[in-house]
Amino acid sequence: MPEAPGTITSVFAARVGENKDSTAVGQGGTALSYRELDEKSDVLARALTGLGAAPEDRVGILMERGVDVVVALLGTLKAGCAYAPLDIRSPAARLRTVIEECGTRLVLVDSPERAAALRDSCGGGPGGVDVRVVGELAARALPPAAGPPPVHPQQLAYVIHTSGSTGHPKGVAISHQDVVAFAADACWAGIDRRVLLQSPLEFDASVYQILVPLLRGGTVVVAPPGRLDAAQLVRTLAEERITSTFLTPSMFNVMTEESPDAFAHGCQVWMGGEVASPGAVARTLAASGPGSVVNVYGPTEVTVFATRHLVTEVGDGPVPIGSALAGVRTRVLDEELRPVGAGEVGELYLAGRGVARGYWGRPALTAGRFVADPFAGDGSRMYRTGDLVRRRGDGLLEYFGRQDNQVKLRGFRIELGEIEHQLTRRDEVARAAVVTLPDHHGGHHLVAYVVPATPGAGGDWPARLLDALRAHLPGHMVPAACVVVERLPLTNNGKLDVRALPAPVFEGAGRAPRNRAERLLCEVFADVLGVPGVGIDDSFFALGGHSLTATRAAAAVAAALGVRPGLEDLFAAPTPAGLAARLADRPDTGARLVGPAAAPADGPVALSHAQRRLWLLYQLMADADPGYHIPLVFRLSVPVDTAAFDAALADVTARHESLRTVFPADGETAHQRILDPADAEVRLTVTDCRPAALDALLTAAVRAPFDLETEPPLRVTLFRTGEEQVLLVVLHHIAADGWSFTPLFRDLSRAYAARRAGAVPGFRPLPVRYRDHAAWQRAALGDRDDPGSLLARQLAHWRTALAGIPLCTPLPGDRPRPECAGGAGAVVEFTVPAELRRELDELGRAAGCTLFVVLQAALAGLLTRLGGGEDIVVGTPTAGRSDPALDDLVGFFVNTVVLRTDTSGNPTFGELLRRVREAWIPAYAHQDVPFDLLVEAVNPPRSLAHHPVFQIAFGLLNTEDSALELDGTTHHWRLAGTGSARFDLAFDAVSRTGADGAPGELDISLEYATELFDRATVERLADRYVRLLRAAAAAPDRPLHTYALDPRESPAP
Amino acid sequence: MNPFDDENGTFKVLVNSEGQYSLWPSFAPVPPGWEVRLDDRARAECTAHVEEHWTDLRPASLVAATAAAPDSRS
């Protein structure tokens, strides 16, 4: 057995002594015995020394595969030089680059023709490369006195060039002792007798194919020259009784498709360099027998192979790359260079045997890739592979692809290999490759290339394949296009040649509608989303759709097609093509949902459900509770024309009935009485005050009770301090909601502008009134005792969905909860900056969900992290405006639904998004139940200590920006605190529009119960919320409990 | 991202007894067997230092064992 450490030359000399007449290397009819090879390489070595070759000089080898290659290699090593293989298929420019990169002054070639060609391209003359034909050098006899100096084990044996990320080659410098140790590994015992050399010399698998047999007394069987096809290889393996060789999975897959029994004669194939295909391995094991396939892994930088796995069975996951070869140490580390937890994916670092000297002539590059080994303790180095692996429970490593092949699309790290695996595990796919390509929006997207198992597959097969992927992969991992190819182009090294792939033919983007349904759906999408054109493969959500617009779209689709899709349909099939197919077999019910229509009736008008709930609360709390006041504050930068403003207020109150509706008591309940515009005295109150008094006056004005029975539910006050002007608009919630701000301030701005110009605003009449909605809502919901009614069906949903919810979300407060909630509150304001907001938008788009879902998921995750348990219940407002006709109305349409999220099991943020989305769709689809009826149906134990069903509320107002424009100057509102708290915590997020019209920051006001929390606690909570959002946007694939919540806290492993 | 590739990170330059250099992220403790040549600098400054000072990639023990040291870097 060879002994390490030593040199290749000394170990070879020992083998020559033992095996003088056995065949060392052969090809077809040509063969050299150990003695012949020794003599020929000796002659060559002396010739090289005679030419001035010194220890550590790099000698280029540019030769077709043949017996002489082995002579050239050994001769070079014996001369003390390192061989530097050159690729005979490389263009001259690339050859020059490699030759210059490693400073080669002497190149060995196999023929005078090649010598001439190389001299032409790399120049003879002074300073040029000396090109020599091996056959000529090795034929000369030189005096033995010219022998080269002895070789040191740390001397270089070869420099193999790999392509760097910039495309410039880098030479990996490997020493004798590393090769000797590699060849001494016990894993070669028994398979080293006849090893096939078929890999190109510039691929380091050839080191195994040449030096493992030669340093162990076996035979190098050189495959026929030229490019080999699968059939030739299969034939050679059998005819030459090959005991082992190396193949790339690409070649292996092709070979074993035709001949899964190619290794049945006792051959062991070592396969590596790419991800193995489990299907191909399985069929090979079945046909060639156990022990025939070894999956192997090894970067050139750690001497050929670092880990290997003798495959005995193929499971669902990737084929493992196994465990380390002798002397190699594997470490799986996280981004902080700490070992990752059991079963987690991390980057593989290799230490011990075989770690290269470095990159030839590249000290900085070397110092950045071959780094101090913090675990060795002896000053040795480790190589960081850039490969992602996971250590399974049984200790075997699984390969997850290149870290830099791990693309990051829209915030998600995506492992291309995982998508490829999902494709190739399907019987109808022979081979697959997934790459990222630029899309036409300036971003990137995934494109899959597939080779069908049966030729001729086409038609909608690629589309069906992608559909099938959707069942196994999250949306962001499903390729945008799937291209059928006859074969995957390979590089000389047998790896996928990405640049040779055909340009993707987009079945998708921009496809025009093919039938009436698709055309209507394209129109509806374009209309609802306000985009110029929609193709049948464009996703509603990728174009900017969200839950509110989804409801719109559903209503519009119902109107257009006569079939009303549920929101589930739109989420499951968000493209016109998909949705049309999904709805195709549903009967046209003819039951187009008709929106509210103006009813002629005058006289007393019944309350809507929402109004009734607020009115009851109003009665209960009397005038003590301003919790349902909506105080909006504008800091004005222009003086107000009070007369024009008064007139404008009158215009707007006349236009919107809600603003002049009073609620006279009517026994147990009340009714709506709409005042005549002339009787609705809503006027601007002007208060001049000292700056110091402003806050107190504002607070008082915010909290001043409304008399809902007699007064309009709107008050407007202008505070003037001499330094500033603050406009306070207080609405009672019974008359308006967040979605009312847009029409309210748009109309007020227009009226003010008109009045300032001495004109009357020319409003287009509103098609419906709030009271029409109230009547329509009652009719649409139906009777809850009628099991077929909308109300009964939705109530049934909520009873099931909310069964067993916690009585109260346990959040660690600063004080114990009083038995009876007093309702005192305060507000902390904070902002999600625009840049983070856009990342969150992207994150949502990639995950097929809305910004709202992203924000909710982070809230649920945060509550869990803070001790709120793993069954998170949050109340959230829904707009309640299912018909576009309602958009222009001021009124109390909003309803509250309950979102219940299971946060157990330390899910990744991506998984949490999926869960929230899954929970949100049915919640949203059953949003019509008025919240008070929902509470009755769920019937939780009543308590005066907290809000029923949920104690934490979260709302996102993402309508178009609502602002007040006075004399051409835009003023944004800010929610003032009411001094009350409706819930323990209530997040009200408002989406702002940036100056460029793009989505801007999110302003969040967080109302909290001061009985439970101190301000500092809530500020910290807000801070942690933003921190969690940021961390999740950066790395949505991390488990929830690993995100750092506090500034000094480093992320957990 | 791998910490060694962080263009905005802070790094050290370490050297071992073989005269081999290693870039090292400042946040991690210096491994035993290595000495700090450059402390807490920008990545570019560290790589420039390595380029300037590590002119012979051969391990010190090899240099010592072989008398001549011809053209060993490039």
Side-chain angles (χ1 to χ4, degrees), chain A residues 318-373:
Chain A
V319 182
I321 56 171
S323 48
L325 269 74
V328 176
R329 295 192 297 271
T330 57
R331 316 196 188 292
V332 186
L333 306 182
D334 67 9
E335 294 180 357
E336 314 264 328
L337 303 180
R338 297 169 305 195
V340 299
E344 281 181 32
V345 174
E347 184 170 344
L348 179 62
Y349 289 70
L350 296 171
R353 184 284 277 160
V355 175
R357 180 188 292 179
Y359 297 113
W360 181 262
R362 306 277 208 102
L365 191 64
T366 301
R369 292 299 299 208
F370 298 85
V371 299
D373 182 352

Side-chain angles (χ1 to χ4, degrees), chain A residues 92 96 114-124 131:
Chain A
R96 261 201 312 274
R114 208 184 304 277
L118 186 65
R119 283 188 196 110
D120 275 355
S121 60
C122 291
V131 184

